[in-house]
Amino acid sequence: SSEELNRRRVYFQDARKRQAYLNSFSTAPQSAKYGINQFSDLSQKEFRDLYLRASADRAPHFSGPKTEG
Amino acid sequence: LPAKFDWRDKAAVAPVRNQQACGSCWAFSVVGAVQSAHAIEGSQLEQLSVQQVLDCSIKNEGCNGGSPVRALNWLKQTRVKLVPQSEYPYKAKTGICHFFSQSHDGVAVKNFAAHDFGGQEEAMMGQLLEHGPLAAVVDAVSWQDYQGGIIQHHCSSQWSNHAVLVVGYDTTGDIPYWIVQNSWGPTWGNEGYVYIKIGGNICGIADSVAAVIL
């Protein structure tokens, strides 16, 4: 429907703004790039509700020797 | 540790798959780790059934979400054999669990090791080399817009919401990074993979990491 199309257009425009912000941190050549992909016409809530459904059980800290920091 | 290592070079990683509109990443990460461990043991690399884990691991919630560690606990305790994907195909919907007899061909999980490697990402590299690809849970909110390259910002730890498979690392360039297989299809990111900077627990990559033992 045209209502749905308009909503998707707004989400797409929001994504473009979000991507511009994210890319403003990507200065080095190998840095991550953010842009249009198959999720660009989803709202952030739709994306979370559909794709970010995992939970992590608390795991014990690895007991080997510290090698960083 | 070698400066770079990638289980794909050893033909131990199955192709990138697509979970579609189903919150099944937790099952894809676990099945990915099991099928890689099976190949590393010397068997032919074979895709195993994600749908079986989705339908039968009842302490998880199918397409509504789950935890890799809970799924591995279920595999370990029940000694259920994961059957080939061709025998129990993926439908992107939670369904009724299909049972197979213990004599049916499949891959069982003997044990697993889940750890928090925060501050110890080098030790995590050792775990990757020793046990094969690792199931990890990350914060993937910013991945909605990811196109490629090495993620170094905009990714929190301790807010995990997505499960993935760590298949390798590369420390030869200016920015060392993890090579991570996602389950959003081969057109997403770097042909279905995402690269995450090593050190600093970016995206919470080291917070909850599980290795499978067959």
Side-chain angles (χ1 to χ4, degrees), chain B residues 40-210:
Chain B
I40 292 164
E41 269 197 335
S43 302
Q44 182 79 22
L45 178 65
E46 178 179 34
Q47 289 204 324
L48 299 172
S49 176
V50 171
Q51 192 66 41
Q52 186 181 11
V53 178
L54 206 58
D55 294 346
C56 304
S57 175
I58 51 168
K59 285 192 178 168
N60 286 302
E61 294 171 62
C63 283
N64 290 327
S67 132
V69 166
R70 241 174 287 155
L72 285 166
N73 253 323
W74 165 73
L75 283 168
K76 179 187 168 183
Q77 284 170 7
T78 60
R79 300 286 289 156
V80 162
K81 285 181 182 170
L82 285 183
V83 301
Q85 140 84 12
S86 56
E87 291 184 33
Y88 199 155
Y90 186 63
K91 294 192 169 74
K93 278 181 185 164
T94 319
I96 295 164
C97 177
H98 294 241
F99 290 94
F100 295 84
S101 71
Q102 271 307 106
S103 59
H104 198 95
D105 261 0
V107 182
V109 171
K110 191 191 288 175
N111 206 350
F112 70 94
H115 286 109
D116 172 354
F117 284 94
Q120 301 181 87
E121 287 179 60
E122 270 192 53
M124 185 169 147
M125 291 179 194
Q127 194 85 341
L128 177 82
L129 259 69
E130 191 180 347
H131 294 293
L134 305 167
V137 188
V138 295
D139 164 29
V141 168
S142 67
W143 297 13
Q144 179 175 3
D145 301 299
Y146 178 75
Q147 281 189 322
I150 305 169
I151 294 181
Q152 301 164 72
H153 310 284
H154 320 299
C155 232
S156 75
S157 58
Q158 297 174 333
W159 290 99
S160 45
N161 44 46
H162 183 53
V164 289
L165 187 68
V166 182
V167 303
Y169 65 84
D170 189 339
T171 65
T172 58
D174 291 341
I175 307 161
Y177 61 90
W178 293 109
I179 301 164
V180 177
Q181 189 187 63
N182 201 356
S183 51
W184 293 343
T187 58
W188 180 86
N190 310 284
E191 295 175 338
Y193 286 79
V194 52
Y195 304 143
I196 299 172
K197 184 185 171 188
I198 293 175
N201 195 12
I202 306 291
C203 302
I205 188 75
D207 279 338
S208 180
V209 179

Side-chain angles (χ1 to χ4, degrees), chain A residues 18-19 22 25 30-39 42 51-55 57 60-62 64 67-68, chain B residues 20 64-67 70 114-122 144-148 150 152 154 160-161 184 208:
Chain A
R18 204 169 56 230
Q19 289 152 12
L22 293 171
F25 290 76
Q30 285 181 292
S31 290
K33 297 283 178 285
Y34 300 90
I36 301 304
N37 65 19
Q38 71 258 47
F39 303 127
L42 297 180
Y51 296 102
L52 305 183
R53 305 301 303 233
S55 55
D57 290 297
H61 217 77
F62 186 69
T67 53
E68 290 179 18
Chain B
Q20 302 166 50
N64 290 327
S67 132
R70 241 174 287 155
H115 286 109
D116 172 354
F117 284 94
Q120 301 181 87
E121 287 179 60
E122 270 192 53
Q144 179 175 3
D145 301 299
Y146 178 75
Q147 281 189 322
I150 305 169
Q152 301 164 72
H154 320 299
S160 45
N161 44 46
W184 293 343
S208 180

